[in-house]
C-alpha cells in the first residue's frame, strides 16, 4: 500500500527541503509510520525551541541555527550556548567590565547580542585556550561560565554558518514559525515533509 502526503509550507522552506532531500535517500524503504511520527515530533520541537531561544536572546533564527551547528561541532550543546550568550550579554551590560572589553578593541555599548558574540569570537581567533580564557575573564566571565565554549569561540563562525547553510541545517524564519505554531498537531507531518516526500 502506498501513502502519499501532499501539503505545502508557506514561506522560505529551502533549508527544510534540502534537509529532507538529504534524509530521503537514507531512509527510503525502511521508514515506518512510528519513525515518521517521531521525526516529525523532533522537528516540531526543534522549530519551537529555535523560535523561543532566538526571541529570548534577541538574535535572528538564522544566526542561532548557525551558532548551534558550530557549537555542536565544537562539543557544546544548545543549552550551554544559550547560557554563554546570556552571560556574555550580562557582562557587557555591566559598566565595571567595559575596560575589559575595550582592552580587546570591543566597545559593547549599543551592540546587539549577535554583534557582540561575533566580535568576541573574532578576537578569539588564533589565540590559545589560555589566552581566550584570560580575555573572557577580563570581560567579566568566570572560568566556570566559559567551560566548553572555548572551542566554540575559536571556531570561524562565518565558515561554520556557511557550512550549516550548505547542508540544510538552517530553516527559514517563516518555515520555523509555521512549524512552531502547529507544534502540538500531528497532521503538521504533512507540512514538514512537503509535497516531495513519498512513503511506499
Amino acid at each position: 500500500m502506498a501513502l502519499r502526503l501532499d501539503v505545502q509550507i508557506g514561506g522560505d522552506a529551502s533549508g527544510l527541503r534540502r534537509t529532507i532531500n538529504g534524509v530521503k535517500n537514507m531512509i527510503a524503504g525502511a521508514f515506518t509510520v512510528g519513525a515518521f511520527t517521531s521525526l516529525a515530533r523532533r522537528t516540531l520541537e526543534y522549530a519551537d525551541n529555535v523560535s523561543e531561544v532566538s526571541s529570548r536572546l534577541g538574535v535572528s533564527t538564522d544566526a542561532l541555527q548557525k551558532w548551534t551547528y558550530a557549537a555542536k561541532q565544537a562539543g557544546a550543546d544548545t543549552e550551554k550556548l544559550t547560557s554563554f550568550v546570556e552571560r556574555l550579554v550580562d557582562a557587557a551590560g555591566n559598566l565595571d567590565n567595559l575596560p575589559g572589553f575595550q582592552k580587546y578593541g570591543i566597545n559593547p555599548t549599543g551592540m546587539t547580542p549577535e554583534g557582540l558574540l561575533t566580535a568576541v569570537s573574532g578576537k578569539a581567533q588564533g589565540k590559545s585556550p589560555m589566552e581566550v580564557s584570560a580575555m573572557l575573564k577580563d570581560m567579566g566571565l568566570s572560568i566556570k561560565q566559559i567551560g566548553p565554549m572555548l572551542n566554540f569561540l575559536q571556531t570561524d563562525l562565518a565558515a561554520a554558518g556557511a557550512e550549516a547553510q550548505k547542508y540544510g541545517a538552517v530553516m527559514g524564519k517563516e518555515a520555523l514559525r509555521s512549524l512552531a505554531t502547529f507544534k502540538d498537531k500531528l497532521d503538521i507531518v504533512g507540512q514538514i515533509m512537503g509535497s516531495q516526500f513519498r512513503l511506499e
Side-chain angles (χ1 to χ4, degrees), residues 9-18 43-44 46-56 58-66 114 165 168-182:
I9 295 180
D12 177 12
S14 58
L16 179 59
R17 287 193 189 99
R18 285 192 298 274
T43 303
L44 290 173
Y46 170 79
D48 188 56
N49 186 58
V50 168
S51 298
E52 188 273 323
V53 173
S54 67
S55 177
R56 189 170 113 204
V59 302
S60 69
T61 54
D62 274 14
L64 179 61
Q65 290 176 92
K66 290 173 182 178
E114 198 167 324
Q165 196 85 47
V170 180
M171 287 190 204
K173 189 173 182 179
E174 290 304 315
L176 285 168
R177 184 181 293 130
S178 296
L179 292 173
T181 298
F182 293 102

Side-chain angles (χ1 to χ4, degrees), residues 48-100:
D48 188 56
N49 186 58
V50 168
S51 298
E52 188 273 323
V53 173
S54 67
S55 177
R56 189 170 113 204
L57 293 179
V59 302
S60 69
T61 54
D62 274 14
L64 179 61
Q65 290 176 92
K66 290 173 182 178
W67 292 351
T68 299
Y69 179 87
K72 287 180 179 175
Q73 302 302 309
D77 58 24
T78 306
E79 187 178 334
K80 289 183 176 67
L81 169 64
T82 303
S83 177
F84 177 78
V85 174
E86 288 175 330
R87 288 168 174 161
L88 182 62
V89 169
D90 286 346
N94 185 336
L95 290 178
D96 292 339
N97 297 327
L98 189 57

Side-chain angles (χ1 to χ4, degrees), residues 97-173:
N97 297 327
L98 189 57
F101 282 90
Q102 291 175 333
K103 177 179 177 180
Y104 298 93
I106 298 172
N107 184 358
T109 306
M111 288 184 89
T112 64
E114 198 167 324
L116 181 63
L117 181 61
T118 301
V120 171
S121 174
K123 296 299 180 181
Q125 301 304 300
K127 288 184 169 60
S128 71
M130 287 182 67
E131 289 173 317
V132 176
S133 294
M135 179 182 77
L136 293 174
K137 281 179 70 178
D138 287 341
M139 294 175 181
L141 282 85
S142 70
I143 293 293
K144 185 176 181 181
Q145 291 173 323
I146 298 167
M149 299 310 296
L150 283 176
N151 288 338
F152 167 77
L153 287 172
Q154 293 175 293
T155 300
D156 182 337
L157 294 185
E163 187 174 284
Q165 196 85 47
K166 175 183 174 183
Y167 291 125
V170 180
M171 287 190 204
K173 189 173 182 179

